[in-house]
Amino acid sequence: MSALELSAAIRSKEIAVVEAVSAYVESAKQNKHNAFITLNEEYALKQAATVQKRIDGGEVQTPLVGVPIAVKDNISTAGTETTCASKMLSGYKPIFSATAVEKAEQAGMIVIGKLNMDEFAMGGSSETGAYGAVKNPYDVSRVAGGSSGGSAAAVAAGEIPLTLGSDTGGSIRQPCSFCGVTGIKPTYGAVSRYGLIAYASSLDQIGTIGRNIDDCAALLSIISGADSKDSTCIIDKGFEFPEKSAESNGLKSLRIGLPRNYFKKGIESQVKEAVLKAAEELGQAGAVVEEFVMPYMDYTVHAYYIIACAEASSNLSRYDGLKYGYRSGSARTLSEVYRLSRSEGFGLEVKRRIMLGSFVLSSGYYDSYYKKALQTRAMIKSAYDELFKRFDLIISPVAPTTAYKIGENISDPMKMYMGDIYTVSVNLAGLPAVSLPCGFDENGLPVGFQLIGDSFSELKLIKAARVYQQRTGFHNMLATEFAAERERS
């Protein structure tokens, strides 16, 4: 069942909430893909009983009431360990929950556990965390993508119907592409970041991952909206999306831009073919698809990593071995507490980004690097503003490749960083985007594409994604079913 179908069955008394939660808890316990870090069975079952009483009493009848959910481990959950997959935060239990988690629980959803990721969301493969690599459910020898790899893999494996992830430079969209599931990265400011442990504050955004666009949109409508605890959350009220029957007119008069320079070099031929077929499908649904050249493509990754690492070096300075989190047992002086705690508590990729960020912010280099990156960011946003005068949406690949082998690229950071070439500009401009599965390569690995919209154009994105998924079936098969079918054939 999809999440919406499960909730409908719960509300019609076909399935009890405890029954649904127990089934997913048992599935998550197996953790075949190392997607879960923490599983809170006792809390989940207690919450399930409470939600059942609320349903029976007519207190709550939301579209996702009774549905189990899991949360990326950089999103705070009161009383449940939240580690960012880092030794530095081992044992840390927040005293409050993120606003997005609170809204989900108020709507009658049940959080069953926390999901694996790249350490402090720094990575594109979910290999850099302290709890080991997340395995792709389509091929366990391959990465699940990152940094929200656990969030995508758990959905793809059928271990949970919906998850919350975070997207700083493609961290929802890329693992969705690698794992064959659907994800939404909302407009910056549409979902509160309160309780999201910061990597790069001007880029981070909480989003949703599920099997199909309707499940993701339903969860987004719950978690979006104003929050007095987050001054960057500027939306007045949560999104409201129409029923899918309203999309029967297709995409008539919708203008979609296709950046032809995204398909010139560095992209695998089968990824290119699948994304172009998706564009063709949208054209057959009534959209007008027109090619254009995406400006500043050669500068986006460079600007992104300078800005993201600069913000990370500032945000992570609070982890000093004194207030909370990991403290080295070998430290004998205050200086050693700082040095050893951070040396032992952070992993290699986090250290690399802190050092890069500190360098670009340092005296003598600030103007040469950080200031120019900010100027480039402004130019990228301005370019998107001009493009959205011509187009309603932009279609592009999510990643230049399908999922690669675990360990294959981890020692080559430049190669890993260039894998973000199609996604980071969206975060630099604060725009919304959806990632949708659109095919498979010769190895049976999923391919995804993304639709990008102007700020707060989520309604257009959901409509286009819904029409595409009504016309195709790539989102309907779980990885476990695909694997079983491949073994039979």
Side-chain angles (χ1 to χ4, degrees), residues 414-438:
M414 282 304 298
K415 188 174 182 179
M416 296 279 284
Y417 297 168
M418 292 308 295
D420 298 331
I421 192 166
Y422 304 130
T423 55
V424 294
S425 65
V426 172
N427 299 78
L428 289 170
L431 302 175
V434 298
S435 175
L436 308 168
C438 63

Side-chain angles (χ1 to χ4, degrees), residues 244-256 281-288 393 459-460 462-468 470-471:
K244 56 185 175 183
S245 58
E247 318 302 343
S248 57
N249 293 330
L251 300 177
K252 188 176 179 181
S253 76
L254 195 74
R255 300 164 300 163
I256 299 179
E281 189 71 47
L282 292 170
Q284 291 173 359
V288 177
L393 302 175
L459 186 59
K460 282 183 185 178
I462 301 304
K463 178 179 179 179
R466 185 176 282 161
V467 168
Y468 179 79
Q470 285 173 352
R471 296 172 64 93

Side-chain angles (χ1 to χ4, degrees), residues 177 275 278 282 395-398 434-438 447-451 468:
S177 177
V275 176
L282 292 170
I395 182 173
S396 88
V398 173
V434 298
S435 175
L436 308 168
C438 63
V447 178
F449 75 100
Q450 65 178 339
L451 289 169
Y468 179 79

